[in-house]
Amino acid sequence: GFVRHRPFWATVCAHACYNYMSFLALSLGPYFFKTKYNVDISSPESGLGVYACLPYVVLFVAQAVAGVVADGLRGNGRFTLTAIRKGFNTAGLLVATAGFAVLASPALQHGGTGTTGLHTALAVLTVAVGVGGIAITGHWANYRDLSSTYSPHLLAIGTSIATIPGMVTNLVSG
């Protein structure tokens, strides 16, 4: 069964890592901008509402482009499906990790005050969340690759498990 199937657990692990990043940005993003830049990006008075949704617009575009690129790589036969999935998953998670590391860096938090620091932080968050979304190209389709017959069930189980780290994001991250 799937309980002892290592590829299933690897997919769930990658899914959980992505969910942690995604939930972190979604739930703590507004708090970050309020505490570091004294700006409520969700407030109409801030004029930054468009910027608050920009990471998710970039996410939508990046995921669509990544899917087309992955299909192209698969079609030309130069890469195995496994290499493509691992590559996109790794690239997406590394971009997101690098973005969050920059957001947490003292240079951005202390030297990047004012409008320049705020706009830099918004740009970094946009890249981290948006481009980080290509990781979905790596793990989301993997459920179908594991079993075409039982993929909906594997996806449901995997998503349920992978959501747990996302739910505890606020507890762990503050």
Side-chain angles (χ1 to χ4, degrees):
F2 73 91
V3 173
R4 292 186 291 163
H5 193 64
R6 287 179 48 191
F8 171 75
W9 289 108
T11 301
V12 171
C13 182
H15 193 164
C17 290
Y18 175 79
N19 279 358
Y20 184 85
M21 178 276 303
S22 181
F23 282 50
L24 179 70
L26 193 59
S27 61
L28 293 180
Y31 174 77
F32 171 79
F33 287 102
K34 181 69 174 165
T35 58
K36 299 300 178 194
Y37 298 100
N38 200 28
V39 173
D40 183 0
I41 62 172
S42 62
S43 169
E45 292 82 32
S46 73
L48 297 174
V50 170
Y51 297 110
C53 70
L54 190 58
Y56 303 98
V57 171
V58 173
L59 173 74
F60 171 76
V61 172
Q63 288 174 342
V65 169
V68 171
V69 171
D71 288 345
L73 291 172
R74 186 170 183 210
N76 74 18
R78 292 185 56 203
F79 298 96
T80 65
L81 184 61
T82 301
I84 294 167
R85 299 274 194 252
K86 287 179 179 180
F88 275 95
N89 191 70
T90 301
L93 292 176
L94 284 176
V95 166
T97 300
F100 284 113
V102 169
L103 286 172
S105 73
L108 185 62
Q109 290 191 18
H110 300 297
T113 57
T115 305
T116 303
L118 173 64
H119 288 113
T120 301
L122 285 167
V124 169
L125 182 66
T126 298
V127 170
V129 172
V131 179
I134 68 172
I136 288 178
T137 305
H139 68 265
W140 195 258
N142 233 19
Y143 291 106
R144 175 108 166 92
D145 296 338
L146 294 172
S147 171
S148 59
T149 304
Y150 297 107
S151 61
H153 304 290
L154 295 175
L155 178 61
I157 293 166
T159 300
S160 297
I161 295 167
T163 301
I164 294 169
M167 291 188 304
V168 299
T169 297
N170 289 332
L171 299 175
V172 173
S173 302

